Each structure stands twice: as structure tokens, then as C-alpha cells.
Amino acid sequence: MPAKVQTPTQTQIAELRKLFNEKYEQSPPKVPFHHADLQRIRNADIWLTRFLEMYDLDMQVSLDKLWDTCIWRQEYGTNELNENNLVKEYLNDGVVFARNKDLDGKSLLIFRTKIHVKGTKNMDEVIRVVVYWIERIQRETNLDQMTIFFDMAGTGVSSMDMDFVKRIIETFKLYYPNALNYILIYEMAWVLNAAFKIIKGFLPAKALEILKMISKKDINQYIDKANCLASWGGNDLYEFKFVPEKLQRPTTLTVISNGSVPTPPVSPDTPTGYEKKVHFANNNRMYAGSEMPECERVYQNQDPASTMLRISPNDNVYFNRGENNEIVVELTCIGKQPITYKIQTTSPEKFRVRPRCGYLAPSEKAFVNILLKQDYHLGESPKDKFLVMCMLAPVGIEPSQQSMSEAWKMKPQASSDIEQHRLTCNYKGSTSGASTPCTCGSPDEGFSSTKGTTTSDLSTQAKLLESQLRFTQILQCITLVFLLGLCVAVVYLLKTQLNQLNACVGDEECSASTAGGHCPGKNL
């Protein structure tokens, strides 16, 4: 049965909501939290309940984790993930998808590990697809729990990607409290036992209670036959094909007389907005990160003339290779009218940008701090980029960051009145901007696992596992050679005995026809 948790009372839920609202009013975040997340907190109980259940009704820990999760969701852009800003290949390969329900009526999030090939994909993009499916299930079920189903039938050592599994576990552990009904491991080969022991070490205590090893014999204890795929011995003949989610998108912005921008309406199970997808000339995709974008476009080679904004530096930004990985970009309004600017990046998980958007009066300057997070590195040749956009500020809108953010949400990026500037990230002294790709697990350096496990510790454990798996493979080869030699020896002995028996029978037949004959084979 699912893990036992302490159920919070309405008074405790109301207290957590009150503490959050007070903190948001007294110490607001640098970038306002997404209004869909704020609505979850202020108008519903289920999300607050999940945090209180996960952290054993500890009010302060629940508040801290809720606050950290809202920061991550804003920076990661979870509410804007959709098929238009994800890698189509990863959506269509069927490594991860949602299908059917378990016996408790909880949605199944299925991972087919056999068709996942380690080292062939961009791990950050794969995890974005995983987060998309988690968000999609939660939208469809109003934050109900789900069951993770790892289909490991036919999975060998080459398909066992520890980094992939570790990132999935960390995502749930840090940002989706008490969201799981079961973790089902289906038909895992014995050769992966060493890997499984390390995976169990990543899990918090509550997750170990719902972790179940199953096979075809006992799968119906958790999923009935009608909801089991045919490959699991069930009746569902489903073949995966990605079907886009149907969402309602806000399309207009209304500015009211006092200059404030109203929040677009939000349906109970539909997020507002979706992420912009921007292609540079070299087809590297760019995402809005913590902003809420509206549409998709292809960015052409030609840039508009700089008539509104001057940027320094205006082409490349250079980071140090040491610990001090923060730079400052200067923005200057060179036009005769007020403008608003907005900054996007190809890798929102790597950078902190403050402020991401703002207001500039004529001749006014703004300084934007860009921080390359600890344990992250710049991409290859050069992979990481920024897009700085500006447009005339809407008439009558107040010059606050929140108002500017709302204005950008409702502005189609394809509009001809938007001026765009591109910045490429490099290391100082680098000619190509190449660097070692990041394979760290945590999306944000500010978060750590419940047990205090660090990224370096997890990397060490992963390396240890790889060495154990290599040793297991060598041991398998030695065992096979030994068995082969044993089989040859047995065959040789049997053949020798058979030859001796045939010789003896021949001598006896000879002696029967010759009186007083002797069979030499009898002495053998």
C-alpha cells in the first residue's frame, strides 16, 4: 500500500498559506512567482497539503520547500512547457509517456528504459520532457498522485543510465512532494542489482516504502489486466504516438485606467501561457526561462537596426573559469521614447539573470547581472546564448518590473516592432567557447537532497557503479569461458567412454564366434 503520511488539518493548511503570503509581501522574490502557482497556493489546498505531508507537518520546512519550489518553477518555466518548446525527437521516441491508471486510479508515468540509449541525448532536454509529462498529468488530474512505472524488460547494462535515473529521482524529491503513489520496477535483470542498490540510496525514506519490484506474475497486484500493455501480459494493445495537449492560450492584454495589468484568466486545469521557442541562425533553440511567452517563431539571420537599445558588450559575453562567474551587461535607451526590455537564454538552468525584464526612460541605463551557476559550465562551440529584446513601453503602464513582465507575456515575439540583440557566451581567453558539458544533477545549486547528498557524492557513486558493472561484465565473460571449457571436457569424457564401450562390444562378438576367444576390452 502507499506510504503512510500525516494528514494536515485545515488549520495547518491555512497557517502555511498565511505564512507564505506574509513572506511574499514582506520579502518578495526578485522575480515575481508565476501567477498560476500563486493561484494554486491562495485558492486551493491540495498543493499545500502535499508539502505538509512530505515534511511531516513541519511548518517551517514546508514553507521553505514551497518557496524554493516556486523559485525553481519560475526559473525553469514549468508552466510554459509544451510540445512547441521541447525537442520533438524526444517527445516522439516514447521513452517516457503517460498511459492508463493503477489499481488506485492514479495515472501511470511510464519509462521504457530499453529504448533509452545512454550518452546519445542532451540530458537537460530529456529532463524537460519528463517535467512536461509530470506537469501534464498534474494538470489533467488536479495535482493527484501518480505512479512511476520503470519498464526494464530487456534492459541491459548499456541502457542503464544512472544520470538519467538520478535526475528523475531528484526532480520528484525536490519539487514534487508526495506526488507518487508507487514506484514500480518491472522485470529488472539480475545483472542490474548493483545499479539498483545505488539508486535506492538516492531515494528518501518515504520513497522506499512505495518502491516495488514486480514481474508478469504479480503485476496485477498493482495494475489490472485491462490497464496493462500487451508487452506486460495485459489487454491494452496501445502503440505509443505523441498527441499534443489541448490548452487554452490567452491572446490579449488589457491595460486599465490606473496602469495595472490584470492577470489573464486561468482555468482550473489549464496553465496560462506557453513558452517561446526561438531559433538562431545555427538552429540552437532559446527559451524564455522564467518568463511566460506566447508564440513560436524562427529568428532570421538579419537583425533589426539598433534604434532603441544599446548593449555593452554587444556581441560576446565572457565568463571567468574560476568561481567568480558573474558579469554585468549595460543596457542604454538611445531612443526618444520609453522602452521595455526582456532577456532570454538558451540554458535557463545554468544562469541567473537579474533583472530579466525592466523599463528604461530615454537616455536611462540599466545594469543586468548574469551569473553562471556553480557546478555548471558553458556549452560547446559556443552553445549558450542570450537574446535581448526591447520594444516601446505601452502607454499608461506603470514602470514596474511586474508590469513589464505582464506586458511581454501578451506581446507576440514575431511583432515587427521588437528589436532584438544576440549575445554569445564564451570563457575569457577562449577562441571557440567550448567547454566541458555539464552533467550535474541538480537544476539549482541552492537545493540539496533530503539526506544531504551533494553533486560530487552522487558523481562518485555513479562512477563506482560503472566500475562495478564493468567488473560484473568481466565476471560474466570468465564464467561463460569456464562453462564452455567444462562442457568441452564433459563431451570429451563421454566420447571416450563411448569409444571404449564400442571396442568391448566388438571383441565380445569376435570371441563368440571363436572358441576360447578373449576380449581385451574387458580388462579396461
Side-chain angles (χ1 to χ4, degrees):
M1 58 185 300
K4 295 180 179 179
V5 295
Q6 300 183 57
T7 303
T9 64
Q10 285 297 321
T11 302
Q12 291 169 320
I13 295 172
E15 182 182 356
L16 180 56
R17 180 181 292 114
K18 178 183 176 182
L19 291 174
F20 178 89
N21 289 334
E22 289 176 351
K23 183 174 182 178
Y24 197 82
E25 180 179 352
Q26 297 170 6
S27 304
K30 293 181 179 179
V31 177
F33 294 155
H34 197 282
H35 55 81
D37 294 338
L38 293 176
Q39 186 185 56
R40 273 188 187 180
I41 295 170
R42 293 168 177 169
N43 299 330
D45 293 343
I46 183 64
W47 207 25
L48 301 177
T49 300
R50 293 278 181 252
F51 280 92
L52 289 168
E53 289 174 341
M54 183 67 185
Y55 300 107
D56 300 322
L57 307 184
D58 188 316
M59 198 63 61
Q60 187 57 50
V61 174
S62 299
L63 176 62
D64 293 341
K65 295 297 184 181
L66 174 60
W67 189 267
D68 291 344
T69 298
C70 288
I71 292 176
W72 173 77
R73 291 177 65 82
Q74 179 73 343
E75 294 184 345
Y76 201 79
T78 55
N79 291 287
E80 290 82 48
L81 292 177
N82 65 83
E83 65 274 7
N84 293 322
N85 51 50
L86 298 170
V87 177
K88 296 293 191 298
E89 176 189 349
Y90 300 169
L91 278 174
N92 294 322
D93 61 13
V95 170
V96 53
F97 61 94
R99 177 71 178 176
N100 294 337
K101 298 181 183 295
D102 64 14
L103 284 177
D104 296 325
K106 311 300 183 182
S107 297
L108 294 176
L109 181 60
I110 302 167
F111 293 88
R112 295 192 295 182
T113 57
K114 181 181 179 179
I115 62 177
H116 172 76
V117 182
K118 180 180 179 181
T120 60
K121 297 179 179 179
N122 182 320
M123 187 55 61
D124 291 335
E125 293 296 338
V126 174
I127 297 301
R128 283 170 60 84
V129 172
V130 174
V131 173
Y132 161 76
W133 278 109
I134 298 172
E135 290 292 312
R136 180 167 172 173
I137 290 174
Q138 292 202 332
R139 285 192 291 267
E140 293 171 352
T141 64
N142 191 27
L143 299 183
D144 195 11
Q145 290 182 317
M146 66 189 76
T147 289
I148 294 182
F149 189 97
F150 285 100
D151 184 354
M152 303 191 70
T155 301
V157 175
S158 62
S159 298
M160 189 61 186
D161 191 341
M162 288 298 298
D163 186 44
F164 179 45
V165 176
K166 178 181 67 176
R167 293 282 295 273
I168 294 171
I169 292 172
E170 286 182 342
T171 299
F172 274 100
K173 182 166 61 177
L174 294 174
Y175 310 122
Y176 295 94
N178 201 30
L180 298 179
N181 190 47
Y182 285 111
I183 302 174
L184 302 180
I185 311 295
Y186 176 73
E187 295 283 1
M188 189 184 76
W190 67 269
V191 72
L192 300 177
N193 284 338
F196 182 67
K197 290 181 180 179
I198 292 183
I199 290 173
K200 288 177 68 176
F202 297 153
L203 295 170
K206 284 186 174 63
L208 293 176
E209 296 178 25
I210 59 175
L211 179 66
K212 307 296 179 183
M213 305 291 295
I214 62 174
S215 63
K216 279 189 178 181
K217 296 180 180 179
D218 54 5
I219 189 173
N220 294 135
Q221 295 179 19
Y222 302 95
I223 308 171
D224 62 36
K225 200 164 186 178
N227 282 313
C228 284
L229 300 182
S231 59
W232 308 341
N235 298 332
D236 188 358
L237 302 178
Y238 172 76
E239 294 291 335
F240 173 77
K241 181 179 180 182
F242 178 75
V243 178
E245 184 181 12
K246 294 182 180 180
L247 296 175
Q248 298 176 359
R249 318 284 190 189
T251 56
T252 59
L253 171 69
T254 304
V255 180
I256 56 181
S257 58
N258 64 359
S260 63
V261 183
T263 301
V266 185
S267 64
D269 55 358
T270 302
T272 61
Y274 51 102
E275 180 127 11
K276 285 178 187 167
K277 171 183 173 184
V278 180
H279 290 271
F280 286 102
N282 63 357
N283 289 330
N284 282 330
R285 298 187 304 115
M286 171 167 285
Y287 304 105
S290 64
E291 297 296 329
M292 180 168 62
E294 309 76 24
C295 66
E296 175 182 357
R297 72 182 291 259
V298 177
Y299 185 73
Q300 305 297 333
N301 291 325
Q302 65 273 13
D303 291 332
S306 300
T307 60
M308 292 186 283
L309 185 67
R310 182 174 64 242
I311 302 178
S312 178
N314 63 357
D315 187 14
N316 291 281
V317 290
Y318 293 95
F319 292 87
N320 295 319
R321 291 185 181 271
E323 295 182 357
N324 184 17
N325 286 336
E326 185 171 7
I327 62 169
V328 178
V329 176
E330 179 183 296
L331 307 179
T332 305
C333 177
I334 60 176
K336 296 182 179 180
Q337 299 183 54
I339 64 171
T340 176
Y341 65 88
K342 175 183 174 181
I343 301 176
Q344 297 175 293
T345 175
T346 54
S347 305
E349 74 282 357
K350 292 184 181 182
F351 300 99
R352 286 189 183 276
V353 181
R354 296 291 184 271
R356 286 186 178 272
C357 64
Y359 174 94
L360 288 176
S363 301
E364 185 180 1
K365 293 184 179 181
F367 297 93
V368 177
N369 294 334
I370 300 177
L371 173 67
L372 177 61
K373 297 179 183 179
Q374 186 179 1
D375 296 329
Y376 282 85
H377 306 278
L378 297 182
E380 299 178 352
S381 299
K383 179 180 178 182
D384 303 302
K385 300 180 182 181
F386 286 90
L387 179 67
V388 183
M389 301 181 292
C390 66
M391 66 177 178
L392 296 178
V395 177
I397 194 169
E398 63 180 48
S400 66
Q401 185 178 9
Q402 184 171 3
S403 297
M404 296 302 105
S405 177
E406 294 291 343
W408 277 105
K409 291 173 185 178
M410 299 303 144
K411 183 70 174 180
Q413 188 179 342
S415 298
S416 59
D417 59 344
I418 294 181
E419 184 175 297
Q420 303 187 4
H421 304 261
R422 292 177 291 173
L423 299 175
T424 302
C425 301
N426 288 297
Y427 281 119
K428 288 184 178 179
S430 173
T431 57
S432 64
S435 67
T436 304
C438 171
T439 58
C440 49
S442 175
D444 195 316
E445 82 282 4
F447 298 106
S448 61
S449 69
T450 307
K451 296 183 179 180
T453 305
T454 63
T455 302
S456 59
D457 293 335
L458 296 177
S459 299
T460 302
Q461 291 178 348
K463 290 179 181 178
L464 177 61
L465 172 65
E466 290 178 358
S467 64
Q468 289 176 339
L469 293 178
R470 284 195 296 269
F471 175 78
T472 303
Q473 288 179 307
I474 295 173
L475 186 61
Q476 282 182 307
C477 293
I478 294 174
T479 303
L480 290 174
V481 171
F482 175 77
L483 290 175
L484 182 61
L486 185 62
C487 291
V488 171
V490 170
V491 171
Y492 174 77
L493 291 174
L494 290 175
K495 188 175 181 180
T496 301
Q497 291 293 330
L498 183 61
N499 289 338
Q500 290 178 349
L501 181 61
N502 290 336
C504 182
V505 170
D507 288 343
E508 288 179 349
E509 290 177 350
C510 180
S511 62
S513 59
T514 306
H518 176 70
C519 178
K522 292 180 180 179
N523 297 326
L524 294 177

